[in-house]
């Protein structure tokens, strides 16, 4: 049964005590997060002939499952505009935002995903939009206030597609594959999917007892994340230790998705990550989620399977069905398509 939840922003602004449903269970005496320390990747240097930059990218995606890229081609002014319009939307009066509210338990639109959460709830509101294929756009959810929202998202999406091609080519070259090898997975905007998820995290006085987004992996091929310019909040899990991802104001974060881990036969890792909450400042982010068409067969690349590296994952279509079915299990959704020898 679908149960609607108030926007978290409304709970915060009403001054109410944080409802018990948002309080996270204690997870023992875990160490405080450490600051992640890895080199940024210069996107302009990612070419087949630049072995040093390719090696840096490969190392980051194997070790952390993510990388911060600079010199990616999107002007700083555009990134700032995207952040500003995100803040402007979430600062609109509630009755204005509710014009774009999600229907039932559907993903698209404004609201939160707490209706489908297992256990405690996320201290997060979102605006989720299906950008590609164009025929799948539900424009009733695309804000017309701020007035430039639609045009800006359209342009930003086009720029992200260019970055995706550069990254997919570089990832393939870093594994000594043909540079087009991964491009087959997301090349047709009339079939392959791009979703935009705008995240808003209100401040919370009980910040150490709630979480913005609970630990999870992305079911994508690749996620391109734009962080808040000032307030940190993204953490990556590595070796049972949480690491804080530092803010580099005009960098973009590349996150390996489950489908890329499968295709690379486990070489690139889909990282467990979460979003934390600040006690005094709100925070925004924008995740661009690249997802192959459900009609495409997904499975490890043949060149990456050998006697030393046996096939780790099945071949199948529509990873989304496995991802959704295994959310209640509490395990990594990718485990559902592992080959257990």
């Amino acid at each position: 049964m679908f149960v609607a939840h108030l926007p978290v922003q409304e709970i915060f602004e009403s001054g109410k005590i944080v409802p018990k449903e948002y309080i996270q269970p204690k997870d023992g005496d875990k160490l405080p997060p450490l600051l992640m320390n890895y080199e940024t990747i210069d996107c302009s240097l990612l070419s087949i002939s630049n072995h040093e930059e390719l090696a840096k990218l490969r190392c980051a995606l194997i070790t952390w499952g993510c990388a911060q890229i600079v010199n990616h081609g999107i002007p700083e002014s555009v990134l700032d505009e995207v952040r500003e319009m995100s803040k402007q939307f979430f600062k609109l009066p509630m009755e204005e935002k509710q014009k774009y509210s999600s229907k039932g338990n559907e993903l698209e639109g404004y609201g939160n995903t707490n209706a489908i959460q297992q256990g405690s709830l996320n201290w997060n509101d979102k605006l989720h939009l299906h950008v590609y294929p164009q025929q799948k756009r539900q424009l009733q959810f695309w804000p017309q206030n701020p007035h430039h929202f639609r045009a800006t998202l359209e342009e930003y999406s086009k720029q992200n597609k260019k970055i995706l091609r550069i990254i997919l080519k570089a990832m393939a070259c870093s594994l000594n594959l043909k540079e087009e090898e991964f491009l087959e997975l997301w090349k047709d905007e009339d079939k392959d999917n791009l979703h935009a998820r705008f995240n808003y995290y209100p401040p919370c006085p009980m910040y150490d007892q709630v979480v913005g987004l609970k630990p999870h992996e992305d079911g994508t091929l690749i996620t391109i994340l734009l962080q808040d310019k000032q307030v940190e909040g993204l953490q990556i899990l590595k070796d049972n230790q949480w690491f804080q991802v530092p803010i580099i104001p005009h960098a973009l974060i590349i996150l390996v998705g489950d489908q890329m881990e499968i295709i690379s036969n486990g070489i690139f890792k889909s990282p467990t990550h979460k979003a934390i909450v600040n006690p005094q400042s709100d925070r925004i982010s924008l995740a661009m989620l690249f997802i192959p068409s459900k009609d495409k067969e997904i499975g490890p690349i043949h060149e990456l399977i050998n006697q030393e590296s046996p096939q780790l994952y099945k071949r199948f279509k529509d990873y989304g069905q496995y991802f959704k079915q295994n959310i209640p299990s509490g395990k990594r959704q990718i485990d559902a398509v592992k080959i257990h020898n």
Side-chain angles (χ1 to χ4, degrees):
M1 179 181 177
F2 174 75
V3 180
H5 288 272
L6 282 175
V8 175
Q9 186 177 0
E10 190 170 332
I11 297 173
F12 168 72
E13 292 177 353
S14 70
K16 295 178 182 176
I17 296 174
V18 176
K20 66 179 185 303
E21 292 86 0
Y22 290 88
I23 304 301
Q24 301 295 309
K26 294 187 181 300
D27 55 3
D29 297 321
K30 286 195 173 180
L31 297 171
L34 302 174
L35 186 65
M36 181 184 290
N37 56 346
Y38 62 70
E39 295 181 271
T40 58
I41 308 299
D42 189 330
C43 199
S44 69
L45 299 179
L46 288 175
S47 68
I48 191 169
S49 59
N50 194 317
H51 301 293
E52 182 180 349
E53 209 65 24
L54 289 176
K56 283 169 57 179
L57 177 67
R58 183 177 185 271
C59 181
L61 298 184
I62 289 174
T63 305
W64 297 100
C66 69
Q68 295 223 47
I69 61 169
V70 296
N71 295 329
H72 42 65
I74 303 182
E76 295 180 4
S77 59
V78 173
L79 299 182
D80 289 342
E81 183 179 1
V82 170
R83 290 185 178 106
E84 184 56 33
M85 79 172 190
S86 302
K87 291 180 179 179
Q88 287 176 11
F89 172 78
F90 286 109
K91 293 296 185 184
L92 290 173
M94 190 58 63
E95 58 269 22
E96 178 69 18
K97 293 196 291 284
Q98 286 177 338
K99 293 178 182 178
Y100 310 103
S101 290
S102 302
K103 308 301 181 187
N105 62 352
E106 289 183 7
L107 194 60
E108 281 199 74
Y110 166 71
N112 53 51
T113 56
N114 284 328
I116 58 172
Q117 291 297 318
Q118 301 293 318
S120 55
L121 304 182
N122 290 319
W123 193 258
N124 162 273
D125 291 329
K126 56 82 183 176
L127 174 66
H128 192 117
L129 303 173
H130 203 151
V131 182
Y132 291 109
Q134 282 195 1
Q135 64 268 25
K136 289 189 177 180
R137 291 181 183 179
Q138 299 191 61
L139 291 178
Q140 68 269 28
F141 296 128
W142 287 52
Q144 298 188 66
N145 185 4
H147 67 89
H148 60 287
F149 186 101
R150 295 184 177 188
T152 301
L153 178 56
E154 181 76 58
E155 179 58 29
Y156 185 68
S157 299
K158 290 177 180 177
Q159 296 285 346
N160 270 253
K161 285 193 299 175
K162 292 178 182 178
I163 293 171
L164 178 73
R165 287 184 60 83
I166 294 170
I167 295 299
L168 290 181
K169 284 184 178 181
M171 291 173 72
C173 291
S174 77
L175 298 181
N176 296 315
L177 299 170
K178 296 176 183 177
E179 68 173 0
E180 299 85 11
E181 193 73 58
F182 294 150
L183 290 178
E184 294 297 316
L185 302 162
W186 207 103
K187 68 174 184 178
D188 189 348
E189 64 185 42
D190 290 327
K191 294 181 180 179
D192 296 314
N193 299 282
L194 172 59
H195 296 253
R197 178 178 167 124
F198 296 82
N199 292 296
Y200 179 74
Y201 305 94
C204 182
M206 300 173 68
Y207 70 98
D208 56 344
Q209 298 182 56
V210 303
V211 68
L213 286 178
K214 289 189 288 188
H216 65 284
E217 298 79 38
D218 290 348
T220 60
L221 178 67
I222 292 290
T223 300
I224 300 180
L225 180 69
L226 177 65
Q227 285 213 86
D228 194 288
K229 194 174 181 179
Q230 297 177 313
V231 184
E232 291 182 344
L234 176 64
Q235 294 187 359
I236 300 286
L237 185 65
K238 181 179 180 293
D239 300 328
N240 294 316
Q241 167 70 56
W242 287 103
F243 289 82
Q244 185 80 20
V245 180
I247 286 178
I248 301 174
H250 295 108
L252 292 170
I253 297 176
I254 304 298
L255 285 160
V256 172
D258 283 357
Q259 297 194 56
M260 178 55 77
E261 179 171 336
I262 293 164
I263 291 154
S264 69
N265 202 35
I267 295 175
F268 297 128
K269 305 298 183 186
S270 175
T272 301
H273 54 288
K274 67 178 179 179
I276 61 169
V277 176
N278 190 283
Q280 298 174 321
S281 301
D282 58 2
R283 187 170 71 85
I284 56 96
S285 69
L286 170 56
M288 304 298 284
L289 311 166
F290 288 90
I291 304 170
S293 165
K294 65 181 182 180
D295 296 325
K296 274 185 183 154
E297 184 177 80
I298 299 297
I301 301 258
H302 291 290
E303 291 86 341
L304 301 177
I305 301 170
N306 52 51
Q307 193 169 0
E308 291 75 32
S309 301
Q311 183 175 337
L312 297 179
Y313 300 100
K314 304 171 186 175
R315 301 188 189 281
F316 55 88
K317 293 182 179 180
D318 190 10
Y319 180 63
Q321 64 175 325
Y322 296 96
F323 192 84
K324 292 174 185 175
Q325 288 171 3
N326 286 276
I327 288 176
S329 71
K331 300 178 181 178
R332 294 187 74 205
Q333 286 90 330
I334 201 171
D335 289 346
V337 295
K338 270 189 174 177
I339 295 173
H340 300 285
N341 297 317

